Amino acid sequence: MKYNLKENVMKEDRLSGGHRMCAGCGSPIAVRTVLRAMDPKDRAVICSATSCLEVSTFIYPHTAWKDSFIHNAFENAAATISGVETAYRAMKKKGKIDENWKFIAFGGDGGTYDIGFQSLSGAMERGHDMVYVCYDNEAYMNTGIQRSSSTPSFADTTTSPVGTVIPGKQQQKKDITKIMVDHNIPYVAQTTFIGDFKDIGQKAHKAIYTPGPAFLNIMAPCPRGWRYPGEKMMEITKAAVETCVWPLYEVIEGQYFLNYIPKNKRPVEEYLRMQGRFSHMFKPGCEWMIEEVQKQVDHNWENLLKRCNG
């Protein structure tokens, strides 16, 4: 089935409104866009690691999910959905199921980069026909804005607080997208909300309809943890792409493809300045932090360009 942007935006949402997520939160937008990339005739089993997404969309006995939904533990979203996919294949082989079903797991960065990494890595290595979607908001937002291995350098969180001893998180952000590429799976992509949502829609469609395991990493800002006005979310994701903090690319059967190159690569401080978690970096004497982040971004961008052109 070919992806059609105009037809896609007209599809009925598979995640209903009234789900209690914060205004300006990226995760429900990520979910709605990914699920809308499915053929309406196909059915889906969705699972979600414990997270803001789970506790706000499934408050027993009420649910915002129109597809079959499983709430699993923080650490085993990939294991749960891979088990369901295995059962489906067995039942289809026995002739007990005729419908086409898709299997999609959602997890935040805490349940993906950290706590759930073992089950994610195992599911990818085993080759299940499934999609794992990380909505990356760069901290453990649901439990109090603690740092994760996805949290970027110098970000102020409750477990990497800015003060006289440390200037925020001292380590760099883990590159989970590249780690998933190294699992030699058919499809891996990094995306976010920009322009007409064509990039995220096309990548979601490819992930869902590529046979075998697929991984999507979606930047999904959090207004509470990142400290920005809810209506500024799209401006932040655009700045992330234009500064090359969050490049848009995909890897198909091991081959890298860059989906967007900024005409004029903007300085990283334009992205950082939009968020309260980085406000300390703009105080006198803290210029070295911005310079360090710029060096990290430039280094990662040049390495990505080499992979895409190599």
Side-chain angles (χ1 to χ4, degrees), residues 113 134 136 173-178 181 187-194 199-200 203 215-219 240-241 244-251 257-260 301 304:
Y113 286 65
C134 175
D136 190 351
K173 179 185 175 81
K174 181 192 290 184
D175 192 344
I176 194 71
T177 309
K178 186 174 181 295
V181 173
Y187 189 76
V188 177
Q190 186 164 287
T191 185
T192 189
F193 322 127
I194 188 169
D199 187 78
I200 184 174
K203 287 173 178 174
F215 179 84
L216 284 177
N217 199 14
I218 303 173
M219 174 181 270
V241 174
C244 298
V245 168
W246 190 264
L248 305 181
Y249 69 97
E250 59 189 339
V251 185
F257 297 92
L258 193 59
N259 305 116
Y260 180 77
W301 177 245
L304 179 60

Side-chain angles (χ1 to χ4, degrees), residues 126-301:
R126 291 192 300 272
H128 296 277
D129 190 5
M130 56 172 277
V131 181
Y132 189 102
V133 181
C134 175
Y135 62 93
D136 190 351
N137 54 32
E138 299 188 329
Y140 289 88
M141 300 304 183
N142 182 45
T143 53
I145 317 175
Q146 298 92 347
R147 59 88 80 194
S148 76
S149 62
S150 171
T151 305
S153 300
F154 307 118
D156 182 27
T157 75
T158 54
T159 50
S160 61
V162 172
T164 56
V165 178
I166 63 170
K169 189 192 173 194
Q170 300 176 76
Q171 300 80 17
Q172 293 189 34
K173 179 185 175 81
K174 181 192 290 184
D175 192 344
I176 194 71
T177 309
K178 186 174 181 295
I179 292 171
M180 288 297 104
V181 173
D182 290 339
H183 282 68
N184 299 313
I185 61 178
Y187 189 76
V188 177
Q190 186 164 287
T191 185
T192 189
F193 322 127
I194 188 169
D196 58 7
F197 282 62
K198 185 176 181 180
D199 187 78
I200 184 174
Q202 286 183 327
K203 287 173 178 174
H205 184 269
K206 288 179 184 178
I208 293 168
Y209 290 99
T210 295
F215 179 84
L216 284 177
N217 199 14
I218 303 173
M219 174 181 270
C222 169
R224 284 182 50 77
W226 294 21
R227 289 178 244 160
Y228 64 86
E231 67 273 14
K232 297 291 185 180
M233 185 192 69
M234 292 293 288
E235 293 181 29
I236 288 175
T237 54
K238 182 179 180 181
V241 174
E242 295 291 342
T243 58
C244 298
V245 168
W246 190 264
L248 305 181
Y249 69 97
E250 59 189 339
V251 185
I252 304 172
E253 299 291 351
Q255 185 173 356
Y256 280 79
F257 297 92
L258 193 59
N259 305 116
Y260 180 77
I261 300 178
K263 291 182 180 179
N264 296 296
K265 184 168 171 283
R266 291 159 55 183
V268 72
E269 64 181 272
E270 292 186 18
Y271 168 74
L272 300 173
R273 197 180 291 276
M274 295 178 173
Q275 306 163 57
R277 60 178 176 162
F278 298 121
S279 61
H280 58 286
M281 299 171 69
F282 294 90
K283 294 180 180 180
C286 295
E287 297 83 0
W288 66 272
M289 298 183 206
I290 299 175
E291 293 172 4
E292 180 63 30
V293 172
Q294 187 68 66
K295 288 179 184 178
Q296 293 174 13
V297 170
D298 292 343
H299 175 76
N300 294 338
W301 177 245

Side-chain angles (χ1 to χ4, degrees), residues 88-99:
Y88 165 76
R89 282 190 287 110
M91 294 177 73
K92 197 160 189 178
K93 188 175 181 180
K94 294 177 181 179
K96 295 182 177 181
I97 295 178
D98 293 323
E99 303 97 339

Side-chain angles (χ1 to χ4, degrees), residues 105-126:
F106 290 96
D109 52 281
T112 303
Y113 286 65
D114 298 342
I115 295 174
F117 180 74
Q118 180 181 15
S119 65
L120 171 60
S121 180
M124 297 294 102
E125 185 273 332
R126 291 192 300 272

